Amino acid sequence: MKKDKIYIDTSIVGGFFDVEFEYETKKLFKRLENQEVIFVISDFFEKVYLTEEAKILGSKYVEERVVGETSIEDCFHIVLATIENVDVLASWNFKHIVNLQRIKGYNSVNIKNGYNLLEIRNPKDLINYED
């Protein structure tokens, strides 16, 4: 069975130490420990790089007003996950990433530019509740 590739942004790492997000974050990391999933992130686990292609797509999110210029770092998480064609991006960032309006915007730009739709979820949607 194919393992899901989950791009985790820096909020997931921070959630490991945050009382509000600790439980679900640790359950998600348990899935990694059990070798059920593969984590992808720009500087951890499976390393991906911010290429010229990624910078161009990130600027398109800003041009299409999905987010403002001050949120370009958040765009780069979306871009890297999109270009790497991961199964899902996990984040606790509800303002700029796990936000229905923004997800629609990111995916609209992705489709216009020949990329696949990107599934974006918070860790609560990615853990096993049977345990």
Side-chain angles (χ1 to χ4, degrees):
M1 186 165 145
K2 178 185 167 291
K3 294 180 187 178
D4 283 340
K5 289 175 81 172
I6 301 174
Y7 183 103
I8 62 169
D9 73 359
T10 52
S11 72
I12 298 298
V13 177
F16 203 87
F17 306 100
D18 185 313
V19 174
E20 182 179 0
F21 303 119
E22 177 182 29
Y23 175 77
E24 290 87 356
T25 302
K26 287 183 177 179
K27 298 263 301 176
L28 185 59
F29 272 82
K30 187 69 172 169
R31 291 192 67 202
L32 173 70
E33 184 181 305
N34 292 341
Q35 300 181 353
E36 299 171 22
V37 298
I38 297 168
F39 281 179
V40 178
I41 193 163
S42 55
D43 289 324
F44 302 105
F45 308 108
E46 183 178 318
K47 191 166 185 156
V48 294
Y49 299 93
L50 190 61
T51 62
E52 191 60 32
E53 176 188 15
K55 291 176 186 175
I56 291 169
L57 183 57
S59 69
K60 290 183 186 295
Y61 295 145
V62 174
E63 288 171 20
E64 296 277 337
R65 299 179 185 251
V66 178
V67 292
E69 283 188 44
T70 57
S71 300
I72 194 69
E73 296 296 320
D74 294 323
C75 285
F76 290 149
H77 291 298
I78 304 297
V79 165
L80 292 170
T82 297
I83 290 172
E84 290 297 317
N85 203 30
V86 300
D87 297 297
V88 63
L89 180 148
S91 178
W92 287 119
N93 182 337
F94 296 106
K95 183 175 181 181
H96 299 118
I97 297 178
V98 189
N99 171 308
L100 185 58
Q101 194 63 32
R102 299 215 194 265
I103 292 168
K104 288 178 179 181
Y106 293 130
N107 281 321
S108 173
V109 171
N110 286 353
I111 295 301
K112 280 192 223 178
N113 289 279
Y115 295 96
N116 290 329
L117 294 173
L118 177 62
E119 191 76 32
I120 300 174
R121 299 277 186 237
N122 73 70
K124 289 182 179 186
D125 295 330
L126 303 173
I127 62 176
N128 297 325
Y129 286 96
E130 296 83 43
D131 300 338

